[in-house]
């Protein structure tokens, strides 16, 4: 009952999204133009709305994700096997990080990397060969660098909280350093933005706790600062003395400061603006789950499931935050897992 209650709105969203995937592409067939999932965000990629395979595949993915969320919710609520779930997630992340490092070594060393095995979906754009100013972008086992960055920016806070909570040893800190380095090489604007937001939030919480006089510097927190400080000093020093610093600053300028002025940035802004316009053209209903592509995940949800879909998913997120706050007074195993999931 507690599991069902914790994800009830997510289940409702999945049911509603499935309904929109069936009904709305037929209702608005040919009356609006969309960016299909298997194409890009260029003007010539706009296609009249019609039921497509994306409506089916995205619905299947959604059902799988909600099922996974239910399994995680069961672990959180019952407190059973939370260490097994955390270890499985860390093991998967370690595999992804190591495969990405091997990918970079294979690219610059000229030896084999199994692209044909790892990214073999012919119906989806494969962008594992992207480069920025001659620098190979980290993508690991994902179809593009931004997807790899999304995973890494989720794993980093998870790993840090797991270490501070005493679930893993110091080795996880070094894995986190590798993950941070991989995130930098992914050169994902979204990844950088989320990382900065998370660090800002963590800094604010530390200042708030210090002002309340309840911050205690444990040996694990000291080790965290030492390892990341040492890693950062080593990387900056190496870049400075090797002459690599100028290339890195140019890449960061291209990926962050002048991103919106680039062709990629203009396409993304155009896709997001079109997603917002679709919401207006369909009277707030959307074009159906899996029916339109946008750069922003929020606008993608809005343009496909409409105002009602956004309200449902928004209510779910608010409820999740409230439930997490309500259990912070205890230090049970389940609470520690809640903190980990909250960080992720």
């Amino acid at each position: 009952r507690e599991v069902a209650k914790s994800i009830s709105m997510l289940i409702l969203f999945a049911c509603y999204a499935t309904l929109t995937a069936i009904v709305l592409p037929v209702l608005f067939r040919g009356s609006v133009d969309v960016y299909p999932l298997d194409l890009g965000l260029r003007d010539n990629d706009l296609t009249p709305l019609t039921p497509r395979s994306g409506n089916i595949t995205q619905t299947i993915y959604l059902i799988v994700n909600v099922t996974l969320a239910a399994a995680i919710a069961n672990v959180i609520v019952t407190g059973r096997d939370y260490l097994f779930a955390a270890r499985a997630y860390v093991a998967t992340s370690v595999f992804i990080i190591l495969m990405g490092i091997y990918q970079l070594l294979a690219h610059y060393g000229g030896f084999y990397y199994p692209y044909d095995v790892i990214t073999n979906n012919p119906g989806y754009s494969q962008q594992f060969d992207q480069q920025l100013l001659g620098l190979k972008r980290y993508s690991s086992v994902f179809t593009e660098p931004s997807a790899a960055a999304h995973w890494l920016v989720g794993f980093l806070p998870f790993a840090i909280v797991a270490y501070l909570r005493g679930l893993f040893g110091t080795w996880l800190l070094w894995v986190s350093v590798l993950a941070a380095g991989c995130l930098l090489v992914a050169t994902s604007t979204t990844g950088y933005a989320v990382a900065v937001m998370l660090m800002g939030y963590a800094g604010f919480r530390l200042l708030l706790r210090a002002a309340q006089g309840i911050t205690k510097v444990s040996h694990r927190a000291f080790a965290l600062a030492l390892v990341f400080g040492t890693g950062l000093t080593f990387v900056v020093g190496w870049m400075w003395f090797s002459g690599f610093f100028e290339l890195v600053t140019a890449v960061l300028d291209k990926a962050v400061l002048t991103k919106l002025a680039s062709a990629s940035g203009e396409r993304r802004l155009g896709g997001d603006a079109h997603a917002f316009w679709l919401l207006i053209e369909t009277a707030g209903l959307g074009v159906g789950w899996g029916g339109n592509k946008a750069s922003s995940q929020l606008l993608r949800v809005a343009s496909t499931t409409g105002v009602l879909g956004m309200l449902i998913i928004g209510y779910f997120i608010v409820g999740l935050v409230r439930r997490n706050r309500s259990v912070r007074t205890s230090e049970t195993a389940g609470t520690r897992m809640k903190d980990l999931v909250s960080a992720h």
Side-chain angles (χ1 to χ4, degrees), residues 13-194:
F13 174 79
C15 294
Y16 178 71
T18 302
L19 180 65
T20 65
I22 298 172
V23 175
L24 295 182
V26 177
L27 180 64
F28 295 110
R29 182 198 297 263
S31 61
V32 294
D33 292 333
V34 297
Y35 287 109
L37 300 183
D38 55 347
L39 298 178
L41 291 174
R42 299 176 179 83
D43 290 339
N44 58 359
D45 292 326
L46 281 172
T47 305
L49 176 65
T50 186
R52 300 174 67 94
S53 60
N55 300 113
I56 300 174
T57 57
Q58 294 303 306
T59 300
I60 294 174
Y61 292 153
L62 179 61
I63 293 173
V64 171
N65 287 335
V66 170
T67 303
L68 179 60
I72 295 174
N74 181 66
V75 171
I76 294 173
V77 172
T78 62
R80 296 195 305 266
D81 299 327
Y82 75 96
L83 272 178
F84 174 79
R87 287 167 180 165
Y89 179 54
V90 170
T92 303
S93 299
V94 169
F95 172 77
I96 290 170
I97 291 169
L98 293 180
M99 284 299 294
I101 294 174
Y102 174 70
Q103 177 194 49
L104 295 176
L105 293 176
H107 174 79
Y108 290 108
F111 46 90
Y112 175 71
Y113 182 82
Y115 287 112
D116 52 339
V117 176
I118 294 176
T119 52
N120 61 356
N121 186 348
Y124 195 83
S125 175
Q126 308 294 300
Q127 303 180 54
F128 46 72
D129 56 349
Q130 287 188 1
Q131 296 187 23
L132 184 60
L133 298 178
L135 180 67
K136 172 73 176 70
R137 299 183 65 189
Y138 177 98
S139 60
S140 188
V141 298
F142 297 93
T143 55
E144 59 178 306
S146 62
H150 292 168
W151 181 281
L152 292 170
V153 84
F155 170 71
L156 272 171
F158 185 98
I160 291 172
V161 173
Y163 171 74
L164 293 177
R165 288 287 183 178
L167 298 182
F168 297 93
T170 308
W171 63 270
L172 187 61
L173 284 184
W174 296 108
V175 174
S176 301
V177 171
L178 288 178
C182 294
L183 178 61
L184 284 175
V185 182
T187 63
S188 168
T189 307
T190 305
Y192 291 166
V194 174

